[in-house]
Amino acid sequence: MKWIPKKPWRQKTGPVARKRAGAAGMVTSDTDSGTQKTLERVLSKAGAGSRTQARSWIHAGQVQVNGKVVEDPDRWIDFTRDRVLLDGKPLTKRKQIYILLYKPTGYITTFKDPEGRPTVYDLLGDIDQFVSPVGRLDLDTSGLLIMTNDTQFAERLTNPEHKIAKTYLVKCSTLLSDETLEQLRRGVTLSDGPTRPATVRRVRDTGKYTHLEIAITEGRNRQVRRMIEAVESKVLKLVRTQIGPVTFGDLKIGHWRTMEPDELASLAMAPTRSRR
């Protein structure tokens, strides 16, 4: 019987393998790790701050695990058993917050900008817990933005397999024909592959411009702008008007409010991935 060597890329998984990998200083994925996560993710998921902030705190020696300072942000820990201190205070999971923000143009959706541009955090004021944007809106795009410290909720909204639509109003630089709109509905090919089918409705034509409403279930970088460019036009104005069934209501631009329970329920019950 011929001996066949094991494939070198075959890697064992599970708690024991993760424990060995952690002891060896290896960085592994925490996608299927249950209660085990890297230290930086534990700090972020607890709502203490962003992952970038967490790494800086860890490197600065501000974090202790079971009474010992840990300066490795990729150290695997079990939050249900390990005792984590930040600046000498116990790390506890904070209350989950869900914010709906009407982002104006001219603001970026990162915590800090090296170029000194205003960020959406400048609009939030004194919120005592760290929240992250669910998805992105670029500098020149305005509209609805959800911010939360609930990472599972955020994953549901951003994962295209859950098919939660994001709706935009678009002002195009040219007049688009019905055939072009049908092309957008079927999907266009971008540099990172074909897009999924979209819902597209002509709102009106004014002079040499077409105004569209388009709903997509993906969240690629600058996707709507790239889709319009793929049909030989450009976006002059872009506003996100809806996330799933959630709309502006009476929210004014530049302001935010806490999301209502029925809004959260509507997103939690939105069409989701099929089970095999």
Side-chain angles (χ1 to χ4, degrees):
M1 182 176 179
K2 186 178 180 180
W3 176 74
I4 301 176
K6 291 183 178 180
K7 294 181 180 180
W9 60 82
R10 183 175 296 166
Q11 182 177 348
K12 294 182 180 181
T13 59
V16 175
R18 283 191 296 271
K19 185 176 181 180
R20 290 174 178 172
M26 297 171 58
V27 178
T28 59
S29 171
D30 63 344
T31 303
D32 300 314
S33 58
T35 58
Q36 290 192 1
K37 302 188 185 303
T38 58
L39 184 55
E40 69 162 46
R41 286 186 63 83
V42 167
L43 291 170
S44 177
K45 284 180 174 290
S50 68
R51 292 177 67 177
T52 301
Q53 287 178 305
R55 294 186 77 89
S56 66
W57 294 333
I58 296 166
H59 287 310
Q62 295 174 246
V63 180
Q64 291 181 322
V65 179
N66 299 329
K68 297 182 179 179
V69 174
V70 176
E71 298 184 5
D72 179 11
D74 298 315
R75 163 84 172 269
W76 284 82
I77 68 168
D78 187 337
F79 192 40
T80 61
R81 294 184 297 178
D82 295 323
R83 179 176 171 81
V84 181
L85 301 181
L86 174 60
D87 290 329
K89 297 179 181 179
L91 184 68
T92 58
K93 189 167 184 176
R94 304 188 180 187
K95 179 182 177 182
Q96 292 176 330
I97 298 177
Y98 307 89
I99 287 174
L100 189 67
L101 171 70
Y102 189 164
K103 175 193 170 299
T105 58
Y107 287 76
I108 60 175
T109 52
T110 55
F111 182 67
K112 289 184 180 180
D113 180 47
E115 301 178 24
R117 294 171 296 183
T119 78
V120 291
Y121 291 91
D122 298 327
L123 302 170
L124 296 183
D126 298 327
I127 294 180
D128 59 355
Q129 297 188 46
F130 182 79
V131 291
S132 298
V134 180
R136 303 277 177 170
L137 289 178
D138 62 41
L139 184 70
D140 299 321
T141 302
S142 62
L144 288 181
L145 182 68
I146 292 176
M147 303 187 71
T148 183
N149 57 358
D150 185 342
T151 54
Q152 289 186 338
F153 179 77
E155 193 278 336
R156 176 178 176 80
L157 264 61
T158 54
N159 191 328
E161 293 303 316
H162 293 301
K163 301 179 181 179
I164 298 178
K166 286 79 176 177
T167 306
Y168 299 81
L169 283 178
V170 188
K171 180 181 179 181
C172 302
S173 62
T174 60
L175 288 172
L176 302 185
S177 65
D178 291 340
E179 291 76 10
T180 300
L181 268 58
E182 185 59 32
Q183 185 180 356
L184 290 170
R185 293 187 185 103
R186 293 194 305 266
V188 294
T189 301
L190 306 179
S191 59
D192 50 359
T195 63
R196 295 186 175 193
T199 301
V200 181
R201 179 177 67 89
R202 186 190 304 274
V203 177
R204 65 184 183 277
D205 290 336
T206 56
K208 58 181 181 180
Y209 309 115
T210 290
H211 297 254
L212 299 177
E213 181 183 75
I214 181 169
I216 59 174
T217 57
E218 299 176 275
R220 305 189 203 181
N221 183 39
R222 300 173 65 87
Q223 180 173 338
V224 174
R225 295 181 184 275
R226 294 163 61 204
M227 289 175 68
I228 300 301
E229 291 171 1
V231 294
E232 300 182 353
S233 187
K234 289 186 177 181
V235 171
L236 299 181
K237 186 176 182 180
L238 185 61
V239 183
R240 183 155 70 191
T241 59
Q242 198 167 329
I243 301 174
V246 176
T247 59
F248 291 109
D250 56 0
L251 188 62
K252 295 181 179 180
I253 191 167
H255 292 251
W256 64 272
R257 63 172 174 81
T258 302
M259 295 182 68
E260 300 292 338
D262 61 335
E263 292 175 325
L264 296 174
S266 68
L267 291 171
M269 297 174 62
T272 185
R273 67 182 74 183
S274 60
R275 296 182 180 273
R276 293 188 179 182

